[in-house]
Amino acid sequence: MALIVQKYGGTSVGSIERIRNVAERVAKFKMLGHQVVVVVSAMSGETNRLIALAKEINKEPDPRELDVLVSTGEQITIALLAMALKDLGLKAKSYTGWQIPMHTDGAFNKARLESIEETAIRADLGSGHVVVVAGFQGIDSANNITTLGRGGSDTTGVALAAALHADECQIYTDVDGVYTTDPRIVPEARKLNTVTFEEMLELASLGSKVLQIRSVEFAGKYKVKLRVLSSFEDEGEGTLITFEEDSMEQPVISGIAFNRDEAKLTILGVPDKPGVAGHILAPIADANIDVDMIVQNVGHDGTTDFSFTVHRSEMQKALEVLGMVKSAIGAREVIGDDKIAKVSLVGVGMRTHAGVASRMFKALAGENINIQMISTSEIKISVVVDDKYMELAVRTLHQAFELENETAAKAAGN
Ligand code: ADP
Ligand code: ASP
Ligand code: MG
């Protein structure tokens, strides 16, 4: 007998028929003698619908009340799934986040899970129930309902698996695993049988929304056995997130991530002397704005240009801060650009293989795609390009590194 946590995303519970299918899958696992905890998202489109309603009242809805509102999406699906399970003759019980309780900090709309009360779940599992938990939500120390950020049900699933020491956490979604890139953008993308935890962490943080980044962080910290699978197929092993690297078999590049979440700020004609970067970035940090990529150009005529990226939602705030910095340091001009995209190659094989960057730049140049910024780490290379070339860049790189072909991708690593 194993204890399994299964998480079903919005599309997987998007209609009554699909909720019945989920119930049948859960029943199969029960039949095999396993204990099952199920985490569900809201029905697809529901969270967006609720946010849009809130925005009809106010463009910047009150964060506390927004969490009260959006958490109702998951309350609907837990009840419907528990009913469907009972309809199949199983014992089932639904729980909202506060009923468990799932304790979080007080950061509305992006709360972090702090601890989980397991007593009720363990008792229900012991008496043969399937426990159905609302994803994405919790309660803070002042009894406010909180939510965990978009895609947060993944994190609920993995955190529950960690707390309960589950044998496996299965993330059921509308694709049958983690692919070399989003199959919606590159139809030739290939499903990976395994991906290392480190790579998954990079892919998620660089924009692959198949798993919320915090869920991957939890999986790493608590060594949760995590698998991504399709809720629409009965067969298939999905993708296992592994903690070991098989260096012999490892392709150089495992996947490509992309996002349009960032904006670029450039400050032109900055006097080129020591301490410039600090003068520009300290006030940005003081304003609580996170900076991602940074480029300082080679100086000429005693001045230089300095660019960095921030989350797109913080561009206006950053522009205001830079306006003040400009006068203070005597720079010429400040420019904000939110028509950018970041495209990243990820692979642990990069540690042992040179030449990835040059191959990447050559492939992009071949399509006349200008690279505006570059940043690298041991296992990833990211470039910023014009937003309108993002999909072309992803397809070009997928082809250049022959990611559609497993043998070729691995051969490239030899
Ligand atoms: P759910 O509602 O089940 O949580 P999501 O929409 O959050 O599903 O995540 C699944 C989607 O992630 C897929 O439909 C796919 O378009 C997208 N995706 C992005 N990158 C990848 C990738 N590398 N592999 C698989 N899917 C990806
Ligand atoms: N329903 C929430 C969202 O749409 C949480 C999730 O689906 O994981 O972001
Ligand atoms: Mg998701």
Side-chain angles (χ1 to χ4, degrees):
M1 180 189 76
L3 198 170
I4 298 169
V5 175
Q6 301 188 333
K7 178 259 168 178
Y8 291 90
T11 330
S12 311
V13 292
S15 66
I16 295 299
E17 194 195 339
R18 286 183 176 174
I19 290 175
R20 283 199 193 277
N21 286 344
V22 168
E24 270 160 28
R25 184 184 301 270
V26 173
K28 270 189 215 154
F29 278 84
K30 278 296 286 175
M31 229 72 97
L32 293 168
H34 301 311
Q35 292 185 324
V36 189
V37 175
V38 189
V39 173
V40 283
S41 293
M43 294 168 100
S44 54
E46 179 67 359
T47 309
N48 287 345
R49 187 184 75 85
L50 294 168
I51 293 172
L53 282 179
K55 287 192 170 169
E56 278 186 42
I57 305 262
N58 187 320
K59 279 212 158 45
E60 303 266 325
D62 178 82
R64 179 187 186 276
E65 303 313 326
L66 186 61
D67 277 352
V68 174
L69 179 70
V70 295
S71 64
T72 61
E74 274 73 10
Q75 184 163 344
I76 294 173
T77 44
I78 52 169
L80 291 172
L81 178 60
M83 288 174 196
L85 288 163
K86 288 181 193 196
D87 222 35
L88 293 177
L90 296 176
K91 290 202 265 184
K93 203 165 161 188
S94 69
Y95 286 90
T96 61
W98 65 265
Q99 285 177 309
I100 294 283
M102 309 280 291
H103 295 289
T104 71
D105 64 16
F108 295 120
N109 314 157
K110 52 173 186 217
R112 283 179 182 268
L113 281 169
E114 288 179 338
S115 64
I116 298 175
E117 208 71 63
E118 309 160 29
T119 329
I121 303 179
R122 293 235 183 249
D124 286 341
L125 290 174
S127 58
H129 285 79
V130 174
V131 178
V132 183
V133 181
F136 177 55
Q137 56 181 262
I139 186 166
D140 73 5
S141 57
N143 277 355
N144 295 301
I145 291 176
T146 52
T147 64
L148 310 180
R150 299 306 304 267
S153 300
D154 296 334
T155 303
T156 306
V158 178
L160 270 168
L164 297 167
H165 304 287
D167 295 281
E168 186 162 311
C169 180
Q170 303 172 340
I171 305 283
Y172 287 94
T173 183
D174 54 6
V175 278
D176 60 353
V178 178
Y179 278 67
T180 46
T181 194
D182 189 340
R184 285 179 212 231
I185 303 289
V186 182
E188 298 78 31
R190 175 171 50 86
K191 183 179 86 70
L192 301 165
N193 292 328
T194 62
V195 60
T196 69
F197 156 73
E198 260 185 301
E199 288 168 326
M200 197 61 239
L201 200 60
E202 287 283 8
L203 287 169
S205 82
L206 294 166
S208 301
K209 70 165 190 164
V210 60
L211 286 176
Q212 197 199 36
I213 176 142
R214 284 192 197 155
S215 72
V216 188
E217 286 167 359
F218 265 104
K221 190 163 169 198
Y222 299 102
K223 294 278 174 296
V224 174
K225 187 172 176 199
L226 182 60
R227 199 183 281 281
V228 177
L229 307 127
S230 165
S231 64
F232 302 128
E233 287 170 21
D234 285 332
E235 305 286 305
E237 298 284 298
T239 301
L240 181 67
I241 320 298
T242 59
F243 292 94
E244 291 110 49
E245 285 171 29
D246 181 352
S247 53
M248 295 300 288
E249 283 291 299
Q250 201 65 48
V252 184
I253 305 299
S254 292
I256 303 176
F258 50 86
N259 73 49
R260 290 187 166 103
D261 297 344
E262 294 184 26
K264 185 174 76 167
L265 293 132
T266 303
I267 175 156
L268 297 163
V270 181
D272 193 9
K273 43 186 189 216
V276 162
H279 282 308
I280 296 171
L281 295 179
I284 292 285
D286 292 343
N288 247 329
I289 302 174
D290 285 331
V291 169
D292 181 22
M293 294 165 93
I294 303 172
V295 171
Q296 181 172 346
N297 288 332
V298 179
H300 46 85
D301 306 330
T303 67
T304 185
D305 302 336
F306 191 91
S307 298
F308 59 93
T309 63
V310 299
H311 197 273
R312 210 172 266 199
S313 61
E314 305 209 288
M315 184 173 94
Q316 280 314 321
K317 198 160 121 193
L319 277 174
E320 281 160 33
V321 175
L322 286 187
M324 288 186 276
V325 171
K326 185 183 95 170
S327 335
I329 64 172
R332 196 173 69 240
E333 196 185 348
V334 173
I335 301 173
D337 178 4
D338 61 359
K339 301 273 183 302
I340 60 159
K342 185 163 82 173
V343 177
S344 311
L345 293 181
V346 174
V348 288
M350 266 189 231
R351 278 201 188 107
T352 44
H353 290 88
V356 175
S358 61
R359 195 162 155 197
M360 179 186 200
F361 303 157
K362 207 170 136 196
L364 294 174
E367 291 294 333
N368 267 325
I369 301 172
N370 190 34
I371 298 171
Q372 303 179 18
M373 298 173 103
I374 302 168
S375 84
T376 65
S377 79
E378 237 191 339
I379 66 162
K380 73 121 205 273
I381 304 179
S382 300
V383 294
V384 167
V385 298
D386 189 323
D387 183 338
K388 63 175 180 273
Y389 298 127
M390 187 187 83
E391 293 190 9
L392 176 63
V394 174
R395 277 194 289 270
T396 302
L397 294 173
H398 201 272
Q399 229 171 31
F401 286 86
E402 296 180 88
L403 297 188
E404 71 289 349
N405 178 338
E406 188 174 4
T407 322
K410 280 186 180 153
N414 291 331

